[in-house]
Amino acid sequence: MPSAANVLLYVVIAAYVLYKVVYQQIRGTLLNRRTLVLMPLVLVAAGGYLAAKAAPGASPAELGLLAADLVVLAGLGVLRSTTTTLTERAGTTFQKGSAVTIGLWVLTVAVRIGMVALGTALGVAGPLTTASVALSLGVSIAVQNATTHYRIQRRGLPLAERRPAPLNR
């Protein structure tokens, strides 16, 4: 069983990431290659490390639950990307989310909580279930950003290497 401090740490990390990502998507943000790659890369690396440490003690059922969680959250990442508008501004792509994007973020969090609840109800939730929070968020955001990058390329929009100067709103 994870300690209360670990659970609190995971909740704080998840809340920070969701606030930062959701807030930026709703108010709109200028994209660049770094912003599309950095946060999901850090989350997947850190989450992968924590999950790998917890995996040896995990049951096959808990591993299956994690796999299902990652597949569903990756699918939600694709859906979230398709609900954002992409336009050209300041020499790069500007992304802005919608009310549907917010709803899909709420659903993403609900699915993650639901998977933990399902695992607990089935008696298969263990340390891996808690340790994989950053991994599951990272995979979902990585898939969303990869889908967004694909959409940018298909539309022929520019994508700056570095963050352009902020827009005056």
Side-chain angles (χ1 to χ4, degrees):
M1 187 73 165
S3 72
N6 282 349
V7 171
L8 181 61
L9 176 63
Y10 297 139
V11 168
V12 168
I13 290 169
Y16 171 74
V17 168
L18 289 174
Y19 169 76
K20 185 165 176 53
V21 170
V22 174
Y23 176 73
Q24 284 184 343
Q25 286 177 7
I26 299 311
R27 79 161 210 225
T29 189
L30 294 172
L31 299 177
N32 62 65
R33 293 185 202 293
R34 183 172 179 236
T35 59
L36 289 175
V37 172
L38 187 60
M39 182 181 292
L41 180 65
V42 168
L43 286 171
V44 168
Y49 171 76
L50 293 171
K53 280 181 57 176
S59 69
E62 188 178 13
L63 291 169
L65 187 68
L66 174 60
D69 186 33
L70 293 175
V71 168
V72 171
L73 292 181
L76 286 169
V78 171
L79 289 176
R80 286 192 314 269
S81 174
T82 63
T83 66
T84 62
T85 57
L86 302 173
T87 55
E88 182 178 347
R89 287 193 194 172
T92 194
T93 299
F94 180 78
Q95 175 185 24
K96 183 159 179 48
S98 66
V100 176
T101 310
I102 294 172
L104 288 170
W105 269 113
V106 170
L107 181 60
T108 299
V109 172
V111 164
R112 176 63 176 147
I113 292 168
M115 289 292 203
V116 172
L118 176 64
T120 301
L122 296 174
V124 298
L128 179 61
T129 302
T130 306
S132 61
V133 170
L135 176 64
S136 61
L137 274 175
V139 166
S140 191
I141 295 169
V143 170
Q144 178 179 347
N145 288 359
T147 304
T148 298
H149 186 262
Y150 174 74
R151 291 176 59 219
I152 290 168
Q153 288 182 320
R154 280 195 45 143
R155 294 196 45 211
L157 293 168
L159 187 59
E161 291 296 323
R162 298 175 192 252
R163 184 174 295 233
L167 293 174
N168 292 333
R169 295 181 208 252

